[in-house]
Amino acid sequence: MTEEIVVIPGDGIGKEVIPEAKRVVESVIDVTFIEADAGDAVKEETGTALPQETYDLAASADATLFGAAGETAADVILPLRDAVGSFVNIRPAKAYPGVDALRPETDLVFLRENTEGVYSGHEDRLSDDLSTLTRVVTTSASEALAAFACDYVSGEEHDGFTIAHKANVMRETDGRFRDAVVSVAKENDVPVDEVLMDAFATRVCLDPTQFDVIVCPNLAGDVLSDLAAGLVGGLGLLPSANVGTDRALFEPVHGTAPDIAGNGIANPTATILSAAMMLEYLGYETESNAVNDAVEAVLSDGPRTGDLGGNATTTEMTDAIINHL
Ligand SMILES: NC(=O)c1ccc[n+]([C@@H]2O[C@H](COP(=O)([O-])OP(=O)(O)OC[C@H]3O[C@@H](n4cnc5c(N)ncnc54)[C@H](O)[C@@H]3O)[C@@H](O)[C@H]2O)c1
Ligand SMILES: CC(C)[C@H](C(=O)O)[C@@H](O)C(=O)O
């Protein structure tokens, strides 16, 4: 069977890393890619950053692989997450042997709420002096995330999860989030503990082995996963999966990297690891494991891109990954 996968390269290094991830996927499964546009360049040409056709493709495909968008990122990625009905963003942050990491013992997975919080879109300018934002938290979205988290930690690899929140200040919204997640964990007999997100930020830097799976509200997941990228060697390493009930969207955590875009030196790892998550999601577990192993081997032995202290191009690093497969 030929798998059909939608790919949306976007802007900046999105255009450089997506073709490399496609080459990796093509080397392990029979696949047809359906190309779609989104981002700053499309907005300049057409007036809209996310054409309806692209939204519809993501909303009907089993899987979509996205690169990055620039200034229009929020107009692209937030609706795309919505298009696939994603209620959780899975963000693993793992240090690899051979990569110079601040905390080489880091092995974390963030399960980020993916629909609400400060991403509600309810932001208003009420006067010259006053702007407001409505932070939305529902029990239903918190419970859906918690149910996913319980399932996620059900194997032997994990012993429950930690909720990172700020319910000491946002008593109503994060209080609701925390209470809903704890209650679902208890119903499922899943060990759960909690930490205030500011304290989490310090503790994870001092000793990341205190944590394993972290369940958090939307913005906290955004910020804390970028922080974890800093612990493991940079944004070029972090993949993610936006999972919904029937479909999913896979993307590196990083953006368009304007400081290096156009030079062919972006690290393809985050996008290739996102593709590996996609292969697993689509049921190609052996192929997914093979890609993860090949990435790990190349991170260990090189060649590596400049962000990891090497001098390989994006294509050379991908060639080495494909050679390992
Ligand atoms: N999902 C998305 O589409 C997304 C996510 C974040 C930021 N953005 C957008 O990207 C643009 C730039 O944002 P930013 O600079 O804050 O974040 P960024 O992730 O683009 O870059 C931050 C730093 O990390 C480095 N970096 C990121 N990915 C890398 C890779 N694969 N290889 C090597 N180095 C890499 C960059 O060179 C830069 O120094 C902004 O317009 C922002 O809106 C988009
Ligand atoms: C670009 C932005 C909308 C996005 C987010 O906040 O989710 C990004 O930071 C990310 O982490 O994917």
Side-chain angles (χ1 to χ4, degrees):
M1 188 191 86
T2 302
E3 200 67 56
E4 288 197 346
I5 293 170
V6 173
V7 285
I8 311 171
D11 304 307
I13 63 165
K15 286 191 190 304
E16 300 169 36
V17 290
I18 287 289
E20 303 301 321
K22 281 169 61 184
R23 290 204 293 134
V24 171
V25 173
E26 269 165 353
S27 69
V28 291
I29 65 164
D30 189 6
V31 61
T32 302
F33 292 110
I34 302 159
E35 298 278 339
D37 285 334
D40 297 359
V42 183
K43 184 167 184 186
E44 232 164 77
E45 269 171 44
T46 67
T48 170
L50 181 63
Q52 187 63 41
E53 195 195 341
T54 302
Y55 181 96
D56 291 344
L57 280 169
S60 57
D62 289 341
T64 299
L65 186 61
F66 173 68
E71 292 310 308
T72 57
D75 304 322
V76 172
I77 192 60
L78 303 182
L80 283 177
R81 289 173 185 160
D82 176 63
V84 302
S86 173
F87 56 90
V88 57
N89 187 328
I90 310 170
R91 297 189 155 195
K94 180 176 158 185
Y96 287 89
V99 173
D100 190 15
L102 283 175
R103 287 288 175 205
E105 63 279 33
T106 307
D107 189 0
L108 304 165
V109 178
F110 292 88
L111 299 179
R112 169 184 178 187
E113 201 290 318
N114 216 16
T115 62
E116 51 187 30
V118 298
Y119 288 75
S120 66
H122 302 304
E123 212 180 12
D124 295 294
R125 175 178 288 254
L126 297 184
S127 76
D128 286 346
D129 185 49
L130 174 66
S131 296
T132 59
L133 164 66
T134 304
R135 186 167 193 264
V136 173
V137 174
T138 62
T139 299
S140 49
S142 310
E143 286 179 348
L145 173 67
F148 182 91
C150 289
D151 202 36
Y152 190 87
V153 300
S154 65
E156 280 173 14
E157 212 183 312
H158 305 289
D159 183 23
F161 58 79
T162 302
I163 311 171
H165 62 76
K166 188 94 180 153
N168 58 335
V169 174
M170 294 177 279
R171 292 186 176 122
E172 182 52 44
T173 50
D174 265 14
R176 178 184 289 273
F177 176 81
R178 189 258 325 269
D179 293 350
V181 176
V182 167
S183 139
V184 171
K186 294 221 157 114
E187 273 164 30
N188 287 279
D189 283 328
V190 169
V192 60
D193 61 3
E194 52 184 283
V195 58
L196 294 173
M197 62 175 81
D198 46 352
F200 173 85
T202 308
R203 283 177 55 190
V204 78
C205 291
L206 293 173
D207 178 10
T209 65
Q210 296 172 70
F211 302 104
D212 175 18
V213 176
I214 303 102
V215 172
C216 44
N218 207 338
L219 181 63
D222 180 41
V223 175
L224 297 175
S225 57
D226 269 38
L227 181 145
L231 299 181
V232 301
L235 277 164
L237 295 170
L238 255 62
S240 80
N242 300 280
V243 174
T245 316
D246 302 316
R247 53 197 94 255
L249 169 83
F250 301 83
E251 50 163 339
V253 167
H254 64 70
T256 54
D259 51 342
I260 58 164
N263 297 321
I265 55 166
N267 185 346
T269 302
T271 310
I272 293 171
L273 291 176
S274 302
M277 293 177 87
M278 179 176 73
L279 288 167
E280 185 186 357
Y281 174 83
L282 291 170
Y284 300 100
E285 205 171 329
T286 310
E287 291 80 357
S288 170
N289 289 338
V291 172
N292 281 319
D293 290 349
V295 168
E296 193 158 342
V298 172
L299 287 174
S300 166
D301 302 339
R304 303 182 199 87
T305 44
D307 57 315
L308 303 179
N311 54 16
T313 64
T314 310
T315 303
E316 285 164 354
M317 191 166 169
T318 310
D319 285 344
I321 291 168
I322 292 171
N323 283 339
H324 263 277
L325 282 166

Short mmCIF file of all heavy atoms in Angstrom, two decimals, residues 32-84:
data_model
loop_
_atom_site.label_atom_id
_atom_site.label_comp_id
_atom_site.label_asym_id
_atom_site.label_seq_id
_atom_site.Cartn_x
_atom_site.Cartn_y
_atom_site.Cartn_z
N THR A 32 3.53 8.50 -1.13
CA THR A 32 3.30 9.61 -2.05
C THR A 32 3.12 10.86 -1.20
O THR A 32 2.29 10.86 -0.27
CB THR A 32 2.01 9.38 -2.88
OG1 THR A 32 2.15 8.16 -3.57
CG2 THR A 32 1.78 10.52 -3.86
N PHE A 33 3.87 11.90 -1.52
CA PHE A 33 3.73 13.15 -0.77
C PHE A 33 2.80 14.11 -1.51
O PHE A 33 2.91 14.26 -2.74
CB PHE A 33 5.09 13.82 -0.57
CG PHE A 33 6.00 13.03 0.34
CD1 PHE A 33 7.12 12.39 -0.16
CD2 PHE A 33 5.71 12.92 1.69
CE1 PHE A 33 7.96 11.66 0.68
CE2 PHE A 33 6.54 12.19 2.54
CZ PHE A 33 7.66 11.56 2.02
N ILE A 34 1.90 14.72 -0.76
CA ILE A 34 1.03 15.74 -1.35
C ILE A 34 1.52 17.08 -0.80
O ILE A 34 1.46 17.33 0.41
CB ILE A 34 -0.44 15.48 -0.94
CG1 ILE A 34 -0.84 14.09 -1.43
CG2 ILE A 34 -1.37 16.55 -1.51
CD1 ILE A 34 -2.03 13.52 -0.70
N GLU A 35 2.07 17.90 -1.70
CA GLU A 35 2.69 19.16 -1.27
C GLU A 35 1.63 20.25 -1.08
O GLU A 35 0.73 20.39 -1.90
CB GLU A 35 3.68 19.65 -2.33
CG GLU A 35 4.83 18.71 -2.61
CD GLU A 35 5.98 18.86 -1.60
OE1 GLU A 35 6.07 19.92 -0.95
OE2 GLU A 35 6.75 17.90 -1.48
N ALA A 36 1.77 21.02 -0.02
CA ALA A 36 0.84 22.14 0.21
C ALA A 36 1.63 23.34 0.73
O ALA A 36 2.70 23.20 1.31
CB ALA A 36 -0.23 21.72 1.21
N ASP A 37 1.06 24.52 0.50
CA ASP A 37 1.75 25.77 0.85
C ASP A 37 1.15 26.42 2.09
O ASP A 37 -0.06 26.34 2.32
CB ASP A 37 1.56 26.79 -0.29
CG ASP A 37 2.44 26.47 -1.48
OD1 ASP A 37 3.49 25.84 -1.28
OD2 ASP A 37 2.04 26.85 -2.59
N ALA A 38 2.00 27.11 2.83
CA ALA A 38 1.53 27.96 3.93
C ALA A 38 2.69 28.83 4.37
O ALA A 38 3.85 28.48 4.14
CB ALA A 38 1.03 27.12 5.09
N GLY A 39 2.38 29.96 4.99
CA GLY A 39 3.43 30.77 5.57
C GLY A 39 3.53 32.18 5.00
O GLY A 39 2.66 32.65 4.27
N ASP A 40 4.65 32.83 5.35
CA ASP A 40 4.86 34.24 4.99
C ASP A 40 4.84 34.46 3.48
O ASP A 40 4.21 35.41 2.98
CB ASP A 40 6.22 34.73 5.51
CG ASP A 40 6.32 34.68 7.03
OD1 ASP A 40 5.34 34.28 7.66
OD2 ASP A 40 7.38 35.04 7.56
N ALA A 41 5.56 33.59 2.75
CA ALA A 41 5.68 33.79 1.30
C ALA A 41 4.31 33.65 0.64
O ALA A 41 3.97 34.43 -0.27
CB ALA A 41 6.65 32.77 0.72
N VAL A 42 3.51 32.70 1.09
CA VAL A 42 2.17 32.52 0.53
C VAL A 42 1.29 33.73 0.84
O VAL A 42 0.50 34.18 0.01
CB VAL A 42 1.50 31.23 1.09
CG1 VAL A 42 0.15 31.00 0.47
CG2 VAL A 42 2.39 30.04 0.88
N LYS A 43 1.46 34.25 2.05
CA LYS A 43 0.66 35.43 2.42
C LYS A 43 1.01 36.61 1.52
O LYS A 43 0.12 37.35 1.08
CB LYS A 43 0.88 35.79 3.88
CG LYS A 43 -0.02 36.95 4.29
CD LYS A 43 -0.09 37.18 5.74
CE LYS A 43 -1.10 38.30 5.99
NZ LYS A 43 -1.15 38.69 7.38
N GLU A 44 2.31 36.76 1.25
CA GLU A 44 2.73 37.86 0.39
C GLU A 44 2.11 37.75 -1.01
O GLU A 44 1.66 38.73 -1.60
CB GLU A 44 4.24 37.87 0.26
CG GLU A 44 4.85 39.23 0.59
CD GLU A 44 6.32 39.12 0.84
OE1 GLU A 44 7.06 39.01 -0.14
OE2 GLU A 44 6.72 39.14 2.02
N GLU A 45 2.07 36.49 -1.50
CA GLU A 45 1.54 36.26 -2.86
C GLU A 45 0.02 36.33 -2.92
O GLU A 45 -0.54 36.88 -3.86
CB GLU A 45 1.89 34.83 -3.31
CG GLU A 45 3.20 34.70 -4.04
CD GLU A 45 3.52 33.22 -4.21
OE1 GLU A 45 2.61 32.43 -4.58
OE2 GLU A 45 4.67 32.85 -3.95
N THR A 46 -0.64 35.75 -1.91
CA THR A 46 -2.09 35.54 -2.03
C THR A 46 -2.91 36.32 -1.02
O THR A 46 -4.14 36.34 -1.10
CB THR A 46 -2.43 34.05 -1.85
OG1 THR A 46 -2.16 33.70 -0.49
CG2 THR A 46 -1.62 33.16 -2.78
N GLY A 47 -2.25 36.89 0.00
CA GLY A 47 -2.99 37.62 1.03
C GLY A 47 -3.40 36.75 2.20
O GLY A 47 -3.88 37.24 3.21
N THR A 48 -3.20 35.43 2.07
CA THR A 48 -3.54 34.56 3.20
C THR A 48 -2.39 33.59 3.49
O THR A 48 -1.81 33.02 2.56
CB THR A 48 -4.86 33.79 2.96
OG1 THR A 48 -5.00 32.82 3.99
CG2 THR A 48 -4.91 33.07 1.62
N ALA A 49 -2.09 33.43 4.79
CA ALA A 49 -0.95 32.58 5.15
C ALA A 49 -1.30 31.10 5.09
O ALA A 49 -0.42 30.26 4.90
CB ALA A 49 -0.46 32.95 6.56
N LEU A 50 -2.57 30.80 5.28
CA LEU A 50 -2.97 29.39 5.26
C LEU A 50 -4.12 29.21 4.26
O LEU A 50 -5.30 29.38 4.61
CB LEU A 50 -3.42 28.94 6.67
CG LEU A 50 -3.84 27.48 6.78
CD1 LEU A 50 -2.68 26.53 6.45
CD2 LEU A 50 -4.38 27.17 8.18
N PRO A 51 -3.79 28.87 3.00
CA PRO A 51 -4.86 28.69 2.02
C PRO A 51 -5.85 27.60 2.47
O PRO A 51 -5.44 26.63 3.11
CB PRO A 51 -4.10 28.24 0.76
CG PRO A 51 -2.69 28.68 0.98
CD PRO A 51 -2.46 28.66 2.45
N GLN A 52 -7.11 27.80 2.13
CA GLN A 52 -8.16 26.84 2.51
C GLN A 52 -7.80 25.43 2.04
O GLN A 52 -8.02 24.44 2.74
CB GLN A 52 -9.50 27.28 1.88
CG GLN A 52 -10.70 26.47 2.35
CD GLN A 52 -10.99 26.59 3.84
OE1 GLN A 52 -10.88 27.68 4.40
NE2 GLN A 52 -11.29 25.49 4.50
N GLU A 53 -7.17 25.35 0.84
CA GLU A 53 -6.83 24.04 0.29
C GLU A 53 -5.83 23.30 1.21
O GLU A 53 -5.94 22.09 1.41
CB GLU A 53 -6.20 24.26 -1.09
CG GLU A 53 -6.12 23.02 -1.93
CD GLU A 53 -5.17 23.21 -3.11
OE1 GLU A 53 -4.87 24.37 -3.47
OE2 GLU A 53 -4.71 22.17 -3.63
N THR A 54 -4.89 24.05 1.77
CA THR A 54 -3.91 23.44 2.68
C THR A 54 -4.59 22.96 3.95
O THR A 54 -4.35 21.83 4.42
CB THR A 54 -2.80 24.47 3.03
OG1 THR A 54 -2.19 24.89 1.81
CG2 THR A 54 -1.75 23.87 3.93
N TYR A 55 -5.47 23.81 4.49
CA TYR A 55 -6.22 23.43 5.70
C TYR A 55 -7.02 22.15 5.44
O TYR A 55 -6.99 21.20 6.23
CB TYR A 55 -7.16 24.58 6.09
CG TYR A 55 -7.97 24.29 7.34
CD1 TYR A 55 -7.54 24.74 8.59
CD2 TYR A 55 -9.17 23.57 7.28
CE1 TYR A 55 -8.28 24.48 9.74
CE2 TYR A 55 -9.90 23.29 8.42
CZ TYR A 55 -9.45 23.76 9.64
OH TYR A 55 -10.17 23.48 10.78
N ASP A 56 -7.70 22.12 4.29
CA ASP A 56 -8.54 20.96 3.97
C ASP A 56 -7.71 19.70 3.79
O ASP A 56 -8.14 18.61 4.20
CB ASP A 56 -9.35 21.23 2.68
CG ASP A 56 -10.41 22.31 2.89
OD1 ASP A 56 -10.72 22.62 4.06
OD2 ASP A 56 -10.91 22.85 1.89
N LEU A 57 -6.54 19.83 3.18
CA LEU A 57 -5.68 18.65 3.01
C LEU A 57 -5.27 18.09 4.37
O LEU A 57 -5.35 16.88 4.60
CB LEU A 57 -4.42 19.02 2.20
CG LEU A 57 -4.60 19.11 0.69
CD1 LEU A 57 -3.36 19.73 0.05
CD2 LEU A 57 -4.87 17.72 0.09
N ALA A 58 -4.85 18.97 5.29
CA ALA A 58 -4.45 18.50 6.62
C ALA A 58 -5.64 17.91 7.37
O ALA A 58 -5.50 16.94 8.11
CB ALA A 58 -3.84 19.65 7.42
N ALA A 59 -6.82 18.51 7.14
CA ALA A 59 -8.02 18.07 7.86
C ALA A 59 -8.54 16.73 7.35
O ALA A 59 -9.37 16.10 8.00
CB ALA A 59 -9.12 19.12 7.74
N SER A 60 -8.03 16.27 6.18
CA SER A 60 -8.55 14.99 5.67
C SER A 60 -7.46 13.92 5.58
O SER A 60 -7.76 12.75 5.41
CB SER A 60 -9.21 15.20 4.31
OG SER A 60 -8.29 15.78 3.43
N ALA A 61 -6.18 14.31 5.72
CA ALA A 61 -5.10 13.31 5.64
C ALA A 61 -4.95 12.59 6.98
O ALA A 61 -5.29 13.13 8.02
CB ALA A 61 -3.79 14.01 5.30
N ASP A 62 -4.41 11.36 6.93
CA ASP A 62 -4.10 10.68 8.19
C ASP A 62 -2.95 11.40 8.89
O ASP A 62 -2.93 11.53 10.11
CB ASP A 62 -3.65 9.23 7.90
CG ASP A 62 -4.82 8.37 7.44
OD1 ASP A 62 -5.98 8.77 7.67
OD2 ASP A 62 -4.57 7.32 6.82
N ALA A 63 -1.99 11.86 8.06
CA ALA A 63 -0.80 12.48 8.67
C ALA A 63 -0.29 13.61 7.80
O ALA A 63 -0.30 13.52 6.57
CB ALA A 63 0.29 11.43 8.85
N THR A 64 0.18 14.65 8.47
CA THR A 64 0.76 15.82 7.80
C THR A 64 2.10 16.13 8.45
O THR A 64 2.23 16.04 9.68
CB THR A 64 -0.19 17.04 7.94
OG1 THR A 64 -1.43 16.73 7.32
CG2 THR A 64 0.40 18.29 7.30
N LEU A 65 3.08 16.47 7.62
CA LEU A 65 4.40 16.87 8.14
C LEU A 65 4.61 18.34 7.79
O LEU A 65 4.54 18.71 6.61
CB LEU A 65 5.47 15.99 7.48
CG LEU A 65 6.90 16.12 7.98
CD1 LEU A 65 7.02 15.76 9.46
CD2 LEU A 65 7.82 15.20 7.16
N PHE A 66 4.85 19.13 8.83
CA PHE A 66 4.97 20.59 8.65
C PHE A 66 6.39 21.02 9.01
O PHE A 66 7.00 20.48 9.94
CB PHE A 66 3.94 21.27 9.56
CG PHE A 66 4.05 22.76 9.63
CD1 PHE A 66 3.75 23.55 8.53
CD2 PHE A 66 4.45 23.39 10.81
CE1 PHE A 66 3.85 24.93 8.59
CE2 PHE A 66 4.55 24.77 10.88
CZ PHE A 66 4.26 25.54 9.76
N GLY A 67 6.91 22.03 8.28
CA GLY A 67 8.24 22.54 8.58
C GLY A 67 8.17 23.67 9.59
O GLY A 67 8.19 23.46 10.80
N ALA A 68 8.05 24.89 9.12
CA ALA A 68 7.93 26.05 10.01
C ALA A 68 7.42 27.23 9.20
O ALA A 68 7.64 27.30 7.99
CB ALA A 68 9.29 26.40 10.63
N ALA A 69 6.75 28.16 9.88
CA ALA A 69 6.34 29.41 9.24
C ALA A 69 6.97 30.55 10.02
O ALA A 69 7.31 30.40 11.20
CB ALA A 69 4.83 29.52 9.22
N GLY A 70 7.14 31.69 9.39
CA GLY A 70 7.83 32.82 10.02
C GLY A 70 6.89 33.69 10.84
O GLY A 70 6.27 33.23 11.80
N GLU A 71 6.75 34.95 10.42
CA GLU A 71 5.91 35.90 11.16
C GLU A 71 4.46 35.44 11.23
O GLU A 71 3.71 35.80 12.14
CB GLU A 71 5.98 37.28 10.49
CG GLU A 71 7.35 37.95 10.59
CD GLU A 71 7.87 37.95 12.02
OE1 GLU A 71 7.12 38.39 12.91
OE2 GLU A 71 9.01 37.49 12.24
N THR A 72 4.04 34.65 10.25
CA THR A 72 2.65 34.20 10.20
C THR A 72 2.45 32.88 10.95
O THR A 72 1.38 32.25 10.83
CB THR A 72 2.20 33.99 8.73
OG1 THR A 72 3.11 33.06 8.12
CG2 THR A 72 2.21 35.29 7.94
N ALA A 73 3.47 32.44 11.70
CA ALA A 73 3.41 31.10 12.32
C ALA A 73 2.09 30.84 13.06
O ALA A 73 1.48 29.79 12.91
CB ALA A 73 4.59 30.91 13.25
N ALA A 74 1.66 31.84 13.85
CA ALA A 74 0.44 31.61 14.64
C ALA A 74 -0.79 31.48 13.74
O ALA A 74 -1.74 30.78 14.09
CB ALA A 74 0.24 32.75 15.64
N ASP A 75 -0.76 32.15 12.56
CA ASP A 75 -1.91 32.05 11.64
C ASP A 75 -1.89 30.74 10.86
O ASP A 75 -2.84 30.41 10.17
CB ASP A 75 -1.87 33.20 10.62
CG ASP A 75 -1.84 34.54 11.31
OD1 ASP A 75 -2.51 34.67 12.35
OD2 ASP A 75 -1.10 35.44 10.84
N VAL A 76 -0.77 30.05 10.94
CA VAL A 76 -0.63 28.80 10.19
C VAL A 76 -0.75 27.60 11.12
O VAL A 76 -1.61 26.73 10.96
CB VAL A 76 0.73 28.76 9.44
CG1 VAL A 76 0.97 27.39 8.82
CG2 VAL A 76 0.78 29.84 8.38
N ILE A 77 0.12 27.56 12.13
CA ILE A 77 0.22 26.32 12.90
C ILE A 77 -0.96 26.13 13.85
O ILE A 77 -1.40 25.00 14.09
CB ILE A 77 1.59 26.22 13.63
CG1 ILE A 77 1.81 24.81 14.18
CG2 ILE A 77 1.76 27.23 14.72
CD1 ILE A 77 1.82 23.73 13.16
N LEU A 78 -1.49 27.23 14.39
CA LEU A 78 -2.62 27.04 15.32
C LEU A 78 -3.85 26.50 14.58
O LEU A 78 -4.45 25.51 15.02
CB LEU A 78 -2.92 28.33 16.10
CG LEU A 78 -1.72 28.88 16.91
CD1 LEU A 78 -2.12 30.13 17.70
CD2 LEU A 78 -1.16 27.82 17.86
N PRO A 79 -4.23 27.08 13.41
CA PRO A 79 -5.34 26.47 12.66
C PRO A 79 -5.02 25.06 12.16
O PRO A 79 -5.93 24.23 12.09
CB PRO A 79 -5.53 27.42 11.47
CG PRO A 79 -4.88 28.69 11.86
CD PRO A 79 -3.81 28.36 12.83
N LEU A 80 -3.76 24.79 11.82
CA LEU A 80 -3.44 23.42 11.37
C LEU A 80 -3.61 22.41 12.51
O LEU A 80 -4.09 21.28 12.30
CB LEU A 80 -2.01 23.34 10.82
CG LEU A 80 -1.79 23.89 9.41
CD1 LEU A 80 -0.31 23.82 9.04
CD2 LEU A 80 -2.64 23.15 8.38
N ARG A 81 -3.22 22.81 13.73
CA ARG A 81 -3.44 21.91 14.88
C ARG A 81 -4.93 21.67 15.04
O ARG A 81 -5.37 20.55 15.34
CB ARG A 81 -2.83 22.52 16.15
CG ARG A 81 -1.30 22.49 16.14
CD ARG A 81 -0.68 23.26 17.31
NE ARG A 81 0.78 23.29 17.17
CZ ARG A 81 1.57 24.16 17.78
NH1 ARG A 81 1.05 25.08 18.61
NH2 ARG A 81 2.87 24.12 17.60
N ASP A 82 -5.70 22.73 14.81
CA ASP A 82 -7.15 22.61 14.89
C ASP A 82 -7.69 21.72 13.76
O ASP A 82 -8.59 20.90 13.97
CB ASP A 82 -7.74 24.03 14.81
CG ASP A 82 -9.24 24.01 14.79
OD1 ASP A 82 -9.80 23.57 15.80
OD2 ASP A 82 -9.83 24.43 13.78
N ALA A 83 -7.10 21.84 12.57
CA ALA A 83 -7.56 21.06 11.41
C ALA A 83 -7.47 19.56 11.68
O ALA A 83 -8.30 18.79 11.21
CB ALA A 83 -6.74 21.41 10.16
N VAL A 84 -6.45 19.14 12.43
CA VAL A 84 -6.31 17.71 12.70
C VAL A 84 -6.99 17.33 14.02
O VAL A 84 -6.89 16.19 14.48
CB VAL A 84 -4.83 17.25 12.70
CG1 VAL A 84 -4.17 17.57 11.37
CG2 VAL A 84 -4.04 17.84 13.86
#
